[in-house]
């Protein structure tokens, strides 16, 4: 694996690969890698000739009171994991390389970026879409891989790609979970043992919603109520939101017959975690 820190070098490498007829797969990350990230790399490896992964902790998607400074940075470990997965190139730019002095341009997907996490974290998705647009322009991938855990992010990026005519296919891969059901997340490392136990309530709540839908419940309101009832089993966990929405628009849906995304966010101690399940049409569900 070759590590690249320069924007111009990364673009040159990718353009050379594409000119030679090779399909470039791209996995953007903020590092602190776990098996969820690595599942994206494996998908890219299976569907691409050249695999590029990036590690960049993007300051523009963190709010003023959020954890940018303490976000885990584990480059040596991450590099070893990516190399084991036969990643061809690691793009590891500095903040100054990604955001040169005087840069003032933002990319914002209006009408969707203020939903779910966007409502709870104003400006977050503007930071995400700005950096992803830049990464797409730098890496020039044929296909890019994202995780279903960040379902709102995936929906917003899909819309950005459509709206701005990016020549890239977006692939969203299933959530990878711990044995006890907790969705893998870099932020899980912040949890103390007791909080780690409490955090399992997120997946339990979603499984309850899933089970109720599988039994034939089509109305969103009882599904939300059932999920919140489970969340109440852990009074130390503070629910941010639990919503049933369209997977594409993130707008609330009253009836799940045509499929829906059940998304939630909650604070476990000081750590904010997200999770979701997709209810497919006729209440068949998938992780």
């Amino acid at each position: 694996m070759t590590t690249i820190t320069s924007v111009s070098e990364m673009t040159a490498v990718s353009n050379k690969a594409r000119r030679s007829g090779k399909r470039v797969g791209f996995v953007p990350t903020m590092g602190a890698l776990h098996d969820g990230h690595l599942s994206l790399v494996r998908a890219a490896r299976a569907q691409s000739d050249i695999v590029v992964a990036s590690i960049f902790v993007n300051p523009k998607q963190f709010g003023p009171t959020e954890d940018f400074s303490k976000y885990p940075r584990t480059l040596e470990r991450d590099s070893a994991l990516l190399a084991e997965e036969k990643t061809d190139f690691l793009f590891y730019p500095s903040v100054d390389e990604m955001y040169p002095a005087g840069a003032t341009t933002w990319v914002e997907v209006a009408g969707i970026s203020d939903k779910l996490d966007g409502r709870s974290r104003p400006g977050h998705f503007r930071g995400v879409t700005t950096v992803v647009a830049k990464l797409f322009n730098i890496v020039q991938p044929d296909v890019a891989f994202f995780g279903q855990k960040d379902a709102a992010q995936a929906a917003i990026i899909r819309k950005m790609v459509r709206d701005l005519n990016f020549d890239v296919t977006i692939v969203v891969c299933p959530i990878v979970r711990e044995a006890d059901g907790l969705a893998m997340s870099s932020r899980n490392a912040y949890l103390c043992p007791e909080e780690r136990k409490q955090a399992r309530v997120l997946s339990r709540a979603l499984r309850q919603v899933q089970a109720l839908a599988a039994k034939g419940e089509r109305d969103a309101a009882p599904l939300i109520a059932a999920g919140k009832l489970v969340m109440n089993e852990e009074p130390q966990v503070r629910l941010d939101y639990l919503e049933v929405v369209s997977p594409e628009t993130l707008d609330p849906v009253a009836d799940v017959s045509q499929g829906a995304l059940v998304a939630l966010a909650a604070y476990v101690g000081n750590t904010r975690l997200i999770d979701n399940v997709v209810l497919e049409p006729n209440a068949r569900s998938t992780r």
Side-chain angles (χ1 to χ4, degrees):
M1 185 179 72
T2 301
T3 298
I4 298 173
T5 60
S6 158
V7 165
S8 59
E9 183 182 356
M10 184 69 256
T11 301
V13 165
S14 187
N15 284 341
K16 180 180 178 181
R18 295 184 72 178
R19 283 196 302 270
S20 66
K22 293 183 177 179
R23 180 176 170 89
V24 177
F26 178 44
V27 181
T29 83
M30 293 206 304
L33 302 183
H34 50 68
D35 203 51
H37 297 111
L38 300 180
S39 72
L40 305 182
V41 176
R42 293 171 195 132
R45 180 79 278 161
Q47 300 181 42
S48 314
D49 301 307
I50 299 292
V51 175
V52 179
S54 66
I55 295 176
F56 179 66
V57 184
N58 176 34
K60 294 191 179 293
Q61 68 190 68
F62 287 81
T65 63
E66 294 183 332
D67 55 358
F68 174 71
S69 62
K70 70 172 186 176
Y71 194 87
R73 291 162 171 84
T74 54
L75 177 61
E76 185 174 347
R77 174 182 174 276
D78 293 345
S79 296
L81 290 172
L82 291 171
E84 287 176 12
E85 297 296 337
K86 298 182 172 55
T87 305
D88 297 291
F89 297 97
L90 167 60
F91 181 46
Y92 182 65
S94 66
V95 172
D96 289 341
E97 184 74 7
M98 287 296 289
Y99 298 112
T104 59
T105 301
W106 294 87
V107 177
E108 183 169 8
V109 184
I112 188 173
S113 293
D114 58 355
K115 297 179 170 67
L116 298 183
D117 270 30
R119 183 173 58 252
S120 300
R121 304 174 66 190
H124 168 68
F125 283 126
R126 183 174 78 155
V128 170
T129 46
T130 297
V131 78
V132 172
K134 288 175 68 68
L135 287 168
F136 284 173
N137 282 330
I138 294 163
V139 178
Q140 297 286 307
D142 295 287
V143 56
F145 297 81
F146 294 85
Q148 172 63 29
K149 185 175 75 69
D150 297 297
Q153 172 181 278
I156 291 165
I157 288 171
R158 283 195 298 260
K159 182 164 174 51
M160 180 188 76
V161 165
R162 290 193 299 265
D163 289 356
L164 298 183
N165 304 108
F166 278 101
D167 186 19
V168 58
T169 298
I170 302 299
V171 174
V172 179
C173 298
I175 295 173
V176 177
R177 298 185 180 275
E178 304 284 0
D180 61 4
L182 183 64
M184 288 190 177
S185 170
S186 300
R187 288 187 167 89
N188 291 349
Y190 299 157
L191 302 172
C192 71
E194 181 60 25
E195 291 170 342
R196 177 68 177 73
K197 182 179 178 181
Q198 294 167 355
R200 294 183 294 188
V201 73
L202 277 73
S203 59
R204 289 206 311 272
L206 291 171
R207 287 198 301 271
Q208 178 63 26
V209 173
Q210 217 172 18
L212 193 58
K215 291 178 181 177
E217 180 59 67
R218 299 294 183 265
D219 292 336
L223 296 176
I224 293 171
K228 288 183 175 179
L229 193 62
V230 175
M231 292 297 297
N232 289 339
E233 295 172 2
E234 289 289 352
Q236 300 303 313
V237 176
R238 179 164 60 89
L239 182 65
D240 182 359
Y241 64 76
L242 195 164
E243 297 187 34
V244 178
V245 301
S246 160
E248 294 300 321
T249 68
L250 306 184
D251 289 327
V253 297
D255 186 297
V256 303
S257 297
Q258 301 305 309
L261 171 71
V262 185
L264 65 78
Y267 289 90
V268 184
N270 293 321
T271 303
R272 187 175 183 279
L273 301 177
I274 61 174
D275 202 348
N276 67 83
V277 292
V278 175
L279 305 179
E280 294 185 347
N282 301 320
R284 293 191 307 274
S285 56
T286 182
R287 293 173 68 185

